Amino acid sequence: MLEGSEVSRLLDILGNRNRRRIIELLRQKPCFVTEISERLVLSPKAVIDHLQMMEREHLLISCQDERRRKYYYLSHDINVIVNLQKQDRVTLPTVDEDQRTRLARNLTVFRRMVRARDEILDNLEQLERDIESRFVEVMRTGEDFITGDGDLEILLALSHFDLTLAELEEMCSLSTDELKQRLDNLMYTGVVERTNDRYQIRGTHGE
């Protein structure tokens, strides 16, 4: 049985949609960072941050295979049970007219905010579906230019930001030599370009 503080930390973790998506993916099978990044269309750095947080809380365990890829899997299955208990009838305090007016005004604003939030979440879900669909199209049309997981790591990172070589080294699991070689190949094929010291997906300059 979890203590109150442990329950609070668990709810904080599960409150993030992408962490819930990672947990659902790991329920199916153990995965490594690049695999999670590709399946959920998240940057490798964001995936690593989520994984490290959940590993610190002992929700995940990791191990390395013969290729030194770090696999993550669930250490415990997670089931959240909400128990609602009916409370005894309580006596409501007396509310004066000024309080009632202020309450009505605050509830009106609150309702508008909730509706705006719901609309944003609906749009976000649609955007997630569009991103996943576009990613499939990228893989289909780029099969002659994108060679392996290393290229995908680079392109997923650059889809979020224009990055320097040092920043790409932090976000990708590639060695410096392999990263440079793949960047040279991607620039040669016209998929990636460099402006000053920053790499970017070709055609996205100024976005």
Side-chain angles (χ1 to χ4, degrees):
M1 189 71 176
L2 297 178
E3 299 294 333
S5 60
E6 294 174 313
V7 171
S8 295
R9 290 201 303 273
L10 179 59
L11 291 177
D12 286 341
I13 291 171
L14 297 179
N16 181 280
R17 180 175 182 270
N18 285 327
R19 285 196 284 272
R20 295 197 302 272
R21 294 171 71 205
I22 291 172
I23 289 171
E24 287 301 319
L25 182 59
L26 295 181
R27 272 201 175 108
Q28 301 170 25
K29 66 182 184 70
C31 298
F32 54 95
V33 171
T34 304
E35 190 176 7
I36 298 171
S37 177
E38 293 170 8
R39 290 280 300 275
L40 302 184
V41 197
L42 296 170
S43 73
K45 185 176 186 304
V47 170
I48 290 170
D49 288 343
H50 289 312
L51 291 172
Q52 287 178 342
M53 172 183 285
M54 291 190 284
E55 194 171 20
R56 284 195 302 270
E57 296 296 331
H58 308 293
L59 297 179
L60 306 181
I61 297 176
S62 61
C63 62
Q64 287 187 337
D65 64 6
E66 67 278 359
R67 295 173 58 186
R68 299 187 63 78
R69 291 187 301 193
K70 194 172 184 180
Y71 278 82
Y72 290 85
Y73 58 95
L74 293 176
S75 60
H76 301 86
D77 199 8
I78 300 169
N79 291 298
V80 177
I81 300 173
V82 178
N83 184 20
L84 298 177
Q85 294 182 340
K86 188 174 181 180
Q87 295 289 89
D88 294 334
R89 183 179 296 275
V90 297
T91 303
L92 296 176
T94 302
V95 180
D96 65 30
E97 195 57 37
D98 286 342
Q99 287 178 303
R100 194 187 307 277
T101 300
R102 288 197 300 272
L103 175 60
R105 187 183 303 120
N106 286 329
L107 284 171
T108 299
V109 174
F110 177 72
R111 182 167 180 258
R112 290 173 185 163
M113 293 172 68
V114 169
R115 285 186 169 184
R117 191 272 313 269
D118 289 344
E119 183 177 350
I120 290 171
L121 290 176
D122 287 343
N123 291 337
L124 181 60
E125 289 182 4
Q126 181 59 52
L127 182 58
E128 291 281 5
R129 289 192 291 270
D130 292 344
I131 287 174
E132 291 173 5
S133 174
R134 184 63 60 177
F135 182 72
V136 172
E137 183 67 12
V138 166
M139 294 298 298
R140 187 184 67 80
T141 57
E143 58 186 357
D144 293 332
F145 305 96
I146 301 171
T147 57
D149 292 345
D151 286 357
L152 279 176
E153 274 196 70
I154 293 170
L155 293 175
L156 280 168
L158 293 179
S159 69
H160 292 266
F161 306 101
D162 298 346
L163 299 169
T164 64
L165 179 63
E167 290 168 339
L168 277 167
E169 284 183 283
E170 290 183 8
M171 296 184 69
C172 298
S173 62
L174 307 173
S175 68
T176 301
D177 289 341
E178 184 180 0
L179 179 59
K180 289 179 179 178
Q181 181 62 53
R182 287 185 177 277
L183 284 169
D184 287 343
N185 291 341
L186 289 169
M187 286 193 292
Y188 177 77
T189 56
V191 177
V192 169
E193 60 187 359
R194 183 172 64 190
T195 302
N196 297 324
D197 64 338
R198 292 192 171 273
Y199 294 89
Q200 62 200 33
I201 296 174
R202 186 175 181 86
T204 60
H205 181 65
E207 286 189 359

